[in-house]
Amino acid sequence: MTGILVPEHEIELTAVRAQGAGGQNVNKVSNAIHLRFDIRASSLPEHVKERLLRMGDHRVSRTGMVIIKAQNHRSLEMNRAEAIARLQALVAAAAHVPKKRRPTRPTRSSQRKRIESKVKRGRIKALRRKSGFDD
């Protein structure tokens, strides 16, 4: 992971009710976490902000808000930690700049082998053809 960390005060966390089955507690306890993070108002470096906004991730809205819902765990604290970890992973992915690809050229040997195999294949096919003489 890169050295870019999202400051805790820029993250808005809200406890909400989790979806799905949950037994007797399902309608009483708010264990899921809604995390909201405004990219444009954050203290992230400009190049990271731009890459986050251009990522095309479904968690990034058109207004530049990252919205993450964590509800995998029964504990509110574990869901909170998971939501923050997912945000950190998203920012780290945006901060990572892939290495520029330099196109390679085929070696002289591989070019020679390719041409030789084509010539050999052509000779094999030429032997299958009928000769031009009528007997």
Side-chain angles (χ1 to χ4, degrees):
M1 202 149 121
T2 61
I4 297 176
L5 292 175
V6 179
E8 195 95 11
H9 64 85
E10 293 180 0
I11 301 170
E12 180 188 325
L13 296 167
T14 313
V16 293
R17 288 194 183 139
Q19 294 174 323
Q24 296 171 339
N25 263 359
V26 73
N27 293 325
K28 295 188 287 185
V29 181
S30 300
N31 315 9
I33 286 287
H34 252 160
L35 179 145
R36 294 175 69 82
F37 175 69
D38 189 2
I39 298 170
R40 290 188 175 95
S42 70
S43 62
L44 294 173
E46 283 302 316
H47 71 279
V48 176
K49 287 183 188 181
E50 287 301 314
R51 285 178 61 89
L52 264 173
L53 291 168
R54 281 189 285 119
M55 257 176 126
D57 195 292
H58 67 93
R59 297 171 290 189
V60 180
S61 69
R62 278 191 223 101
T63 59
M65 286 291 263
V66 177
I67 301 165
I68 295 173
K69 185 175 183 182
Q71 61 180 12
N72 293 342
H73 304 286
R74 290 181 68 170
S75 155
L76 183 72
E77 284 307 309
M78 288 179 76
N79 281 331
R80 181 180 182 279
E82 183 186 340
I84 291 171
R86 280 199 237 158
L87 176 66
Q88 295 289 8
L90 186 68
V91 171
H96 173 73
V97 180
K99 200 166 82 172
K100 192 166 177 2
R101 183 189 176 276
R102 293 178 60 207
T104 58
R105 299 190 62 202
T107 61
R108 199 173 284 157
S109 162
S110 69
Q111 287 176 338
R112 185 178 43 77
K113 285 178 187 173
R114 182 178 143 267
I115 298 300
E116 283 175 4
S117 71
K118 286 169 73 74
V119 168
K120 183 178 175 185
R121 189 81 183 137
R123 286 188 188 133
I124 290 170
K125 288 187 171 190
L127 291 173
R128 294 183 194 151
R129 289 192 210 117
K130 290 182 182 174
S131 62
F133 302 110
D134 288 327
D135 290 328

